Amino acid sequence: MMLNNSKNREILQLAIPSIISNVTVPLLGLVDLSIVGHIGNEDYISAIAVGSMIFNVMYWLLGFLRMGTSGMTSQAFGREDTMECIRILVRSLTIGLAFGLLFILTQGGLEWGLLRLMNTPEASWEYVTIYFQIVIWGAPAMLGLYSLTGWFIGMQDTRTPMVVAILQNLVNILASLSLVFVLGWGIAGVAVGTLLAQWIGFLVALLGAWKRIHKVNGLQNKQGLATETWSRLVRVLSVKAAWINFFLVNKDIFLRTLCLIVVNFYFTSAGGKQGAMMLAVNTLLMTLFTIFSYVMDGFAYAGEALSGKYYGAGDKQGLHVTVRNLFQFGFLMAVVFMGIYMIGGTGFLHLLTDDNAVVEAARPYLPWACFIPVVGVTAFILDGVFIGLTDTKGMLFSTVMAMVLFFIVYFVFRDWLANYALWLAFLSFLLMRGAASMLWMRFFSTIDV
């Protein structure tokens, strides 16, 4: 039996907590979307869509804080280099918190520029502004949590991020519901609930990392602990060559993430040009992609941790078996999710909003969204493997190829198919990412998988 394989047990031990964690992550957005879907019309839904995309644009650019940290940490873990694991976390956290502070200091310019770039519908402008001006204060927490999550994954620990994610969502749900329906704060209540969840999640994760560092480093006694910790921190921050290497390793991830942002930004923007109703339709349907992506990211995270560990330890056989088994799990999940979406997609849309006009407008596009799992599964699995191996050029190559195809398909068919062309282009994008990743792995990668 496949599931009796020891490598599969390793995958599941890492993937299941990650799946639980990742399924709860989109709830931060889905809770916001559901609340505004029941307190207002498409203008409220559009405001959350634009507001969420603005922060995605800002944070996705720094996605290497999670991905790069995970890959480098897992390889150091495989080499049993504990101190290097700690140094990687300190560098990553420093960068994340610094950028978070920068976003807060420049929030005026970010708000002015991004709201216009997003083609924000005029009716939604006021609500987006309220949401942005509150949630921006969570930037350091979110970026710091990126670093911590990547570090925990690299350390073969996906349970801590799971606990943090569940806690975040409990805080978000309770706070948002109380502030909106009890105190009547409207969309400001949704934003404050999200902000509280972000900071509480970051602080809990930071405490977990602090305890683990002390445990693995044998620093159990409190005497001299602060001095020793500060001394090591100063040494880590002062090594120039290590900082240069950190950024070089993550350069491809940054550029790849920029390509993803361009596609996602244009997808939302093109929907916004068609009006608030079509923007609301695309937003609701993209939740199907969001849910599948976070489930598949659970297996991708397992791929990051295990691929990096086996590569760092020089175990080629373990690496090969891990990649093969990841694909077995991935294709199984793709078939399951496609079936679920075909059967229950319409009912899910009704859970998100009681605006029947939006649901009816979304119904013709639902079959397109149902194909997301099948066309996207390969890209998810290989992204995890590339990150674990720090073979990030493969990720960049596949995403650039896919982005080019996205725009070719859309501009060729948009006058004929309108919003259908947008969905055709998006599915083509996902399919090309997987195909180009396989091409890179087979012919261009310097690492034998």
Side-chain angles (χ1 to χ4, degrees):
M1 291 290 290
M2 184 183 73
L3 292 180
N4 291 330
N5 187 290
S6 62
K7 293 295 185 294
N8 275 299
R9 288 197 295 271
E10 278 189 309
I11 290 172
L12 290 175
Q13 287 170 358
L14 291 167
I16 290 176
S18 292
I19 290 171
I20 295 172
S21 173
N22 291 333
V23 167
T24 66
V25 168
L27 286 177
L28 285 169
L30 290 177
V31 168
D32 292 350
L33 187 62
S34 298
I35 291 175
V36 299
H38 289 84
I39 65 173
N41 55 22
E42 65 269 16
D43 295 332
Y44 281 74
I45 298 176
S46 298
I48 290 295
V50 173
S52 298
M53 181 55 68
I54 285 174
F55 286 106
N56 285 340
V57 169
M58 294 164 55
Y59 298 151
W60 284 351
L61 278 171
L62 297 172
F64 66 84
L65 290 171
R66 192 206 65 74
M67 292 180 282
T69 302
S70 171
M72 288 186 287
T73 302
S74 64
Q75 291 187 23
F77 183 89
R79 296 191 303 269
E80 300 183 354
D81 189 346
T82 301
M83 285 310 303
E84 180 60 15
C85 292
I86 297 172
R87 287 190 287 265
I88 291 168
L89 175 61
V90 171
R91 295 184 190 107
S92 184
L93 268 177
T94 302
I95 295 169
L97 295 176
F99 270 101
L101 179 59
L102 179 64
F103 286 158
I104 290 176
L105 295 175
T106 60
Q107 61 180 282
L110 290 172
E111 177 190 340
W112 185 90
L114 291 173
L115 262 67
R116 286 162 176 79
L117 285 174
M118 288 296 298
N119 292 308
T120 305
E122 184 177 350
S124 304
W125 193 281
E126 176 185 355
Y127 304 125
V128 177
T129 299
I130 293 172
Y131 185 84
F132 177 88
Q133 291 179 352
I134 294 173
V135 178
I136 187 63
W137 291 92
M142 283 298 295
L143 295 176
L145 195 54
Y146 274 23
S147 299
L148 289 162
T149 299
W151 187 76
F152 280 120
I153 292 171
M155 297 293 288
Q156 317 295 299
D157 175 10
T158 56
R159 288 183 173 84
T160 299
M162 177 188 70
V163 172
V164 170
I166 292 174
L167 177 63
Q168 278 188 301
N169 281 281
L170 288 174
V171 172
N172 185 47
I173 292 170
L174 293 175
S176 296
L177 289 175
S178 299
L179 294 171
V180 171
F181 294 110
V182 177
L183 299 181
W185 285 17
I187 201 166
V190 174
V192 172
T194 300
L195 179 65
L196 289 173
Q198 290 171 346
W199 274 105
I200 289 175
F202 169 68
L203 293 175
V204 170
L206 189 62
L207 178 62
W210 178 267
K211 289 182 176 180
R212 172 142 192 178
I213 288 171
H214 289 176
K215 180 179 180 181
V216 300
N217 212 27
L219 299 177
Q220 301 298 329
N221 59 311
K222 294 184 178 180
Q223 184 177 5
L225 178 60
T227 302
E228 174 68 13
T229 301
W230 178 251
S231 173
R232 294 187 178 193
L233 178 61
V234 170
R235 288 199 297 271
V236 170
L237 294 177
S238 63
V239 180
K240 182 179 179 180
W243 282 97
I244 294 174
N245 182 65
F246 187 91
F247 281 106
L248 287 176
V249 168
N250 288 291
K251 172 177 60 69
D252 294 328
I253 298 178
F254 175 82
L255 295 174
R256 170 259 191 186
T257 304
L258 187 61
C259 293
L260 290 178
I261 289 173
V262 169
V263 171
N264 281 274
F265 170 81
Y266 193 87
F267 185 93
T268 302
S269 179
K273 289 181 179 179
Q274 300 176 68
M277 177 59 77
M278 198 53 65
L279 177 58
V281 165
N282 289 342
T283 300
L284 291 180
L285 289 173
M286 281 298 285
T287 58
L288 299 180
F289 171 72
T290 300
I291 291 174
F292 176 72
S293 69
Y294 279 103
V295 170
M296 284 309 305
D297 274 344
F299 289 100
Y301 290 177
E304 294 174 22
L306 294 174
S307 296
K309 182 181 77 170
Y310 288 124
Y311 180 64
D315 185 352
K316 292 185 177 180
Q317 178 63 21
L319 175 60
H320 175 75
V321 174
T322 295
V323 174
R324 182 195 66 193
N325 292 2
L326 282 168
F327 270 106
Q328 292 176 343
F329 280 116
F331 285 117
L332 175 63
M333 296 303 297
V335 172
V336 169
F337 268 84
M338 185 176 181
I340 292 173
Y341 287 166
M342 286 182 171
I343 296 171
T346 302
F348 178 72
L349 296 180
H350 279 291
L351 287 177
L352 294 179
T353 179
D354 54 9
D355 189 332
N356 290 326
V358 176
V359 175
E360 288 303 313
R363 196 185 299 272
Y365 303 98
L366 182 58
W368 294 79
C370 290
F371 282 100
I372 286 173
V374 172
V375 300
V377 60
T378 301
F380 282 109
I381 294 298
L382 287 182
D383 274 359
V385 175
F386 281 138
I387 291 169
L389 302 179
T390 58
D391 186 12
T392 51
K393 282 183 170 38
M395 296 174 64
L396 177 60
F397 170 78
S398 63
T399 309
V400 169
M401 296 289 289
M403 180 182 67
V404 171
L405 182 62
F406 171 86
F407 285 107
I408 289 175
V409 170
Y410 179 67
F411 285 114
V412 167
F413 292 102
R414 66 173 179 175
D415 293 336
W416 177 32
L417 297 177
N419 198 54
Y420 291 105
L422 198 57
W423 280 97
L424 177 61
F426 185 70
L427 292 178
S428 300
F429 169 77
L430 293 177
L431 186 63
M432 176 55 80
R433 276 183 62 198
S437 294
M438 290 291 291
L439 179 67
W440 180 273
M441 189 72 77
R442 178 68 177 83
F443 295 106
F444 302 112
S445 178
T446 59
I447 299 173
D448 182 16
V449 179

